[in-house]
Amino acid sequence: MADKKNLLLLFDHPTEPVFMDKGKKVTVFDVPDSFLTDRYRPISNEVQSRVGEKVEQRVPVREISIPDLRIPMSLGRDEQFSLFLPKHRRIAGRLIDIFMNMRSVDDLQSVAVYARDRVNPVLFNYALSVALLHRPDTQGLDLPSFSQTFPDRFIDSQVMRQLREESFVVQSGSRMPITIPRDYTASDLDPEHRLWYFREDLGINLHHWHWHLVYPFEATDRSIVAKDRRGELFYYMHQQVIARYNMERFSNNLSRVQPFNNLREPIAEGYFPKMDSLVASRAWPPRFENTRLSDLNREADQLNVEIGDLERWRDRIYEAIHQGFVMDERGTRIPLDEARGIDHLGNMIEASILSPNRVLYGDLHNNGHTFISYSHDPSNKHLESFGVMGDVSTAMRDPVFYKWHSYIDRIFQEHKSRLPAYTDTQLNYTGISITGIQVATNGGQANALSTFWQQSDVDLSRGFDFLPRGNVFARFSHLQHLPFTYTINVNNDGGAQRFGYCRIFMAPKNDERGQPMLMREQRLMMVELDKFVVSLNPGPNTIRRRSTESSVTIPFERTFRNLDANRPTTGSPEELEFNFCGCGWPNHMLIPKGLPEGLPCDLFVMISNYENDRVDQQLVGRCSDAASYCGVRDRLYPDRQSMGYPFDRLPRTGADRLVNFLTPNMSIVDVSIRHENRTVTRQTR
């Protein structure tokens, strides 16, 4: 019986042959000669004995009949892999199916070992990760961070060279972290570069990658894709990214991002990634300023799409929104109602296999990424691969990601604006009133949040191939905030204990011109900070909640898969959820940067009626601490209200400002976010 943990070794050193040693405990797979590639089969004894000199553990690999891998192998090992390309999604879906359909861990290990040296390394990582997350017999495994196995997706190529030198010259115990410079993609001459710390943050880009692992586009087993409210979650997670990005823009004296409304206009912003792809052995191509999109005709990618196709799909989606229904492939009308409309729309725009009608409504979101990512070489004349917008682990680095997703969000908001406004009855919780809110850091001034820079180390050794073994650390700078605590005073006028759902949001008070924001604008910038159940005794209640408990974020150790810190007990129910918990907004980015003089914000708290919001299910032992953006594994989304409630719809008549929107179970307090331009080094345990 194979040990399922050995499957994780297949993620190590992704471009080295599978028979090379892996893991901290030197381990080799005893690969049957028939599983070796043509290059190594004639000299199998020589190569396998050479790498086996210092072996501490051997993993026997059973020789089995291998499924047909022709489709997964149709993508070259040295090509770039993109989930946004229909051809690549089909290839990935086939490989996921193969891994999912293996009857046992033994058979999965055999076929994975065989496939590893024959299929594209990034495709292999993605498909095996999805399978391990979704197979019942492998769900407890701790997937390594994608940044550890493919560090080239996250750091400057000059740093990669320095890391190689350090690992080659210096013995493991004496190696020093190599610092990733802050300003390697642009200078301050580019105003957009002020947002480098957000767009190029390792944790944010890992969140985007891991979200797409948890919510894959395609698989024959529909249940892998068809998770509860998946389309709505696609909408909400990206809407929150745009809201957060705009708050960061305000924190850098920039206006809100302008949506990419006209697909035929040039893209003003350029982006030069300064990164190399280790798999493709090519630099990630840049996009120059004022680049225009062009029709795509790339035979190698099976792409022949025109800008007019995007415009037609957009117009059909808008038409469906205005009519109030979409047409499925059988011609049946599916209403875009208050309950499920946003979910259908999300599936349609994302264009997963859950789309009600891919032929009619097309593939708008994914093709937008593809058009932008190929804008430098739309006809493949120069044999260039896609830019960073073509990969889910790199797309958020590019300023145009936020223009594109602002455009996508405009479509969702068109639907939301047609829904009836929430009434007083739908918002109020009779007998419950909030009498006071305060937020404070330890020993700090009340209602003043503080941010600063922090340097942290991450071990990238699993992704360095053909080099001496041992830890290789990169040191990166990121935003951080002082931990804080909410204190909320609530009065329960009823005569019995009641339960409520506490919802906490924050948004800037003023717009770009310094004018107080109208409610219809401010609601789109409301960033969800937390959501949790509270018990309210009769009379006055005091609720205290720490920022580290947020339902949005995961801690540093889980973002970067530091499996020795904050690791659940072996065999515990929580261990099964540790992987899923890799999906979540990084805690160090919970609060926007703010300004040196302070960014004035409204902190909003609402206690809604839990009887109306509750979803009856057992969550004990379930990873639900980052449920707001990621849902809960194998469970329903733990809130019956629409995602973003109460700010997902236009306000009722008369509620022009946030203060006019409030009902007694809501309250706001002025909060200032101050940024200190100081850098501290994170203390590791």
Side-chain angles (χ1 to χ4, degrees):
M1 179 75 177
D3 183 348
K4 64 182 180 181
K5 290 183 179 177
N6 290 329
L7 291 166
L8 299 178
L9 296 172
L10 295 173
F11 292 109
D12 284 15
H13 312 297
T15 63
E16 289 184 0
V18 70
F19 53 77
M20 298 284 284
D21 65 288
K22 294 169 178 56
K24 301 292 184 188
K25 181 179 181 181
V26 183
T27 304
V28 297
F29 288 91
D30 283 335
V31 183
D33 285 356
S34 63
F35 279 25
L36 295 174
T37 59
D38 293 343
R39 172 66 187 95
Y40 296 115
R41 197 177 302 125
I43 53 173
S44 63
N45 290 335
E46 178 185 337
V47 293
Q48 296 210 57
S49 61
R50 184 171 64 83
V51 299
E53 292 171 358
K54 299 178 182 178
V55 173
E56 298 176 55
Q57 175 181 306
R58 289 188 173 275
V59 178
V61 178
R62 195 153 53 87
E63 193 167 4
I64 66 169
S65 177
I66 300 297
D68 186 352
L69 287 170
R70 281 178 297 181
I71 291 176
M73 288 169 58
S74 65
L75 179 68
R77 279 182 56 79
D78 58 355
E79 292 183 48
Q80 292 278 50
F81 166 71
S82 172
L83 288 170
F84 297 122
L85 290 172
K87 173 187 173 184
H88 291 194
R89 287 203 300 276
R90 289 192 296 272
I91 290 171
R94 176 64 185 136
L95 190 55
I96 290 168
D97 290 341
I98 290 170
F99 289 154
M100 290 294 296
N101 291 333
M102 290 297 105
R103 292 174 299 176
S104 65
V105 171
D106 283 279
D107 286 358
L108 174 62
Q109 177 177 279
S110 293
V111 75
V113 165
Y114 184 89
R116 188 183 182 278
D117 288 351
R118 289 170 170 82
V119 304
N120 181 278
V122 184
L123 164 65
F124 177 85
N125 183 298
Y126 171 74
L128 185 59
S129 296
V130 172
L132 296 184
L133 277 172
H134 293 88
R135 281 180 65 103
D137 55 2
T138 57
Q139 287 184 350
L141 293 175
D142 302 327
L143 291 186
S145 164
F146 194 65
S147 66
Q148 292 176 350
T149 47
F150 290 97
D152 55 306
R153 303 296 174 102
F154 301 90
I155 60 177
D156 175 12
S157 52
Q158 287 185 345
V159 173
M160 293 291 289
R161 185 201 61 76
Q162 292 174 275
L163 287 165
R164 285 181 171 278
E165 179 180 335
E166 187 77 10
S167 62
F168 187 77
V169 175
V170 183
Q171 290 295 314
S172 180
S174 303
R175 292 172 187 165
M176 300 288 289
I178 303 300
T179 300
I180 303 172
R182 294 187 185 191
D183 301 304
Y184 67 85
T185 52
S187 72
D188 290 341
L189 292 173
D190 178 12
E192 294 296 325
H193 186 61
R194 297 177 202 171
L195 278 297
W196 68 269
Y197 65 91
F198 186 93
R199 291 187 285 100
E200 294 168 1
D201 182 78
L202 273 72
I204 285 179
N205 283 281
L206 281 169
H207 161 74
H208 196 233
W209 164 263
H210 208 107
W211 192 93
H212 283 283
L213 281 185
V214 175
Y215 295 95
F217 289 93
E218 299 202 18
T220 301
D221 182 352
R222 193 175 172 87
S223 67
I224 293 175
V225 182
K227 297 184 173 74
D228 183 52
R229 295 170 69 177
R230 181 240 170 82
E232 183 178 9
L233 199 55
F234 170 80
Y235 143 73
Y236 186 58
M237 188 273 283
H238 288 93
Q239 187 275 327
Q240 284 287 287
V241 165
I242 298 303
R244 287 179 171 276
Y245 187 67
N246 280 327
M247 280 196 77
E248 299 292 354
R249 294 181 72 84
F250 280 21
S251 299
N252 289 278
N253 297 306
L254 295 170
S255 61
R256 277 166 281 188
V257 66
Q258 293 301 306
F260 189 25
N261 288 327
N262 187 340
L263 303 178
R264 297 180 187 271
E265 283 188 353
I267 301 169
E269 298 83 359
Y271 187 65
F272 292 73
K274 312 288 198 306
M275 298 191 305
D276 292 334
S277 166
L278 295 183
V279 169
S281 299
R282 294 276 178 88
W284 286 86
R287 187 187 62 260
F288 291 88
E289 293 178 355
N290 297 313
T291 297
R292 291 180 182 272
L293 300 190
S294 302
D295 296 343
L296 292 181
N297 185 10
R298 296 179 60 97
E299 190 174 333
D301 299 310
Q302 297 178 12
L303 271 181
N304 191 347
V305 193
E306 299 176 356
I307 297 175
D309 293 323
L310 295 182
E311 293 168 332
R312 273 188 293 278
W313 296 334
R314 174 203 62 197
D315 292 345
R316 288 170 185 170
I317 293 168
Y318 270 117
E319 182 182 26
I321 291 170
H322 295 154
Q323 289 176 333
F325 62 86
V326 299
M327 300 283 287
D328 69 12
E329 292 171 349
R330 295 184 297 258
T332 305
R333 293 184 178 187
I334 302 173
L336 294 178
D337 55 19
E338 296 179 49
R340 291 292 311 281
I342 189 68
D343 197 45
H344 295 309
L345 199 58
N347 289 328
M348 194 162 81
I349 291 174
E350 190 194 13
S352 71
I353 59 169
L354 306 180
S355 172
N357 195 333
R358 274 204 216 181
V359 174
L360 184 60
Y361 301 112
D363 192 355
L364 179 62
H365 163 258
N366 298 325
N367 267 293
H369 275 267
T370 302
F371 267 82
I372 295 167
S373 69
Y374 278 132
S375 58
H376 58 287
D377 190 18
S379 64
N380 204 23
K381 178 167 53 176
H382 302 290
L383 304 179
E384 281 287 309
S385 189
F386 49 79
V388 293
M389 269 290 280
D391 188 284
V392 293
S393 66
T394 57
M396 292 182 72
R397 303 174 71 86
D398 193 327
V400 79
F401 174 92
Y402 306 92
K403 294 175 76 83
W404 175 243
H405 271 280
S406 293
Y407 172 73
I408 293 293
D409 192 59
R410 281 267 178 107
I411 302 174
F412 285 121
Q413 296 304 332
E414 183 73 11
H415 163 70
K416 286 287 188 178
S417 69
R418 300 179 71 82
L419 300 178
Y422 292 117
T423 63
D424 273 357
T425 304
Q426 290 173 299
L427 296 172
N428 205 356
Y429 189 1
T430 305
I432 301 297
S433 56
I434 298 178
T435 56
I437 307 170
Q438 181 178 290
V439 58
T441 57
N442 291 340
Q445 181 183 343
N447 301 327
L449 301 177
S450 179
T451 69
F452 53 94
W453 303 116
Q454 187 174 61
Q455 287 189 323
S456 299
D457 297 344
V458 59
D459 181 14
L460 304 177
S461 58
R462 303 179 79 150
F464 279 84
D465 300 341
F466 306 107
L467 281 175
R469 302 309 195 219
N471 294 340
V472 187
F473 286 98
R475 177 164 291 173
F476 66 102
S477 300
H478 57 87
L479 189 65
Q480 185 58 281
H481 58 274
L482 291 177
F484 58 92
T485 301
Y486 306 99
T487 302
I488 305 164
N489 297 316
V490 185
N491 202 53
N492 176 7
D493 291 339
Q497 184 187 50
R498 303 167 83 180
F499 290 92
Y501 224 150
C502 185
R503 304 168 186 273
I504 304 177
F505 290 82
M506 183 168 60
K509 287 183 71 70
N510 304 319
D511 65 14
E512 297 90 332
R513 299 168 299 146
Q515 300 299 309
M517 293 186 79
L518 291 169
M519 175 63 181
R520 60 188 300 126
E521 295 179 47
Q522 192 181 27
R523 72 179 187 88
L524 297 175
M525 294 189 69
M526 279 289 177
V527 164
E528 184 175 333
L529 297 181
D530 207 348
K531 182 167 58 179
F532 54 96
V533 180
V534 292
S535 171
L536 301 170
N537 294 317
N541 294 260
T542 300
I543 301 166
R544 288 186 176 86
R545 174 85 165 181
R546 298 191 304 274
S547 57
T548 51
E549 299 175 277
S550 169
S551 65
V552 170
T553 64
I554 57 174
F556 184 93
E557 291 79 14
R558 270 198 272 133
T559 292
F560 296 99
R561 319 302 289 145
N562 179 355
L563 303 179
D564 297 319
N566 286 7
R567 183 177 183 162
T569 306
T570 301
S572 67
E574 289 81 4
E575 188 188 31
L576 294 175
E577 307 311 313
F578 199 64
N579 264 325
F580 189 87
C581 294
C583 182
W585 194 254
N587 185 263
H588 63 266
M589 296 299 291
L590 175 64
I591 300 299
K593 180 167 79 73
L595 293 163
E597 67 275 17
L599 178 69
C601 294
D602 283 319
L603 183 75
F604 168 93
V605 178
M606 174 185 191
I607 308 286
S608 59
N609 187 342
Y610 187 57
E611 291 305 312
N612 297 336
D613 307 340
R614 70 184 302 162
V615 175
D616 291 322
Q617 59 185 346
Q618 181 58 257
L619 291 181
V620 175
R622 294 273 151 189
C623 170
S624 57
D625 62 346
S628 290
Y629 294 176
C630 292
V632 183
R633 177 180 179 162
D634 299 331
R635 291 291 185 268
L636 304 177
Y637 190 81
D639 181 6
R640 208 183 307 172
Q641 298 287 357
S642 298
M643 297 177 198
Y645 167 86
F647 297 113
D648 64 302
R649 301 188 193 177
L650 289 172
R652 64 192 182 279
T653 303
D656 294 339
R657 307 275 181 188
L658 181 57
V659 68
N660 308 126
F661 179 75
L662 303 180
T663 49
N665 59 318
M666 305 176 188
S667 189
I668 53 175
V669 65
D670 289 349
V671 170
S672 180
I673 307 173
R674 295 193 181 97
H675 178 68
E676 297 179 57
N677 191 20
R678 62 185 175 94
T679 303
V680 301
T681 302
R682 183 173 181 272
Q683 299 301 311
T684 55
R685 302 179 193 186

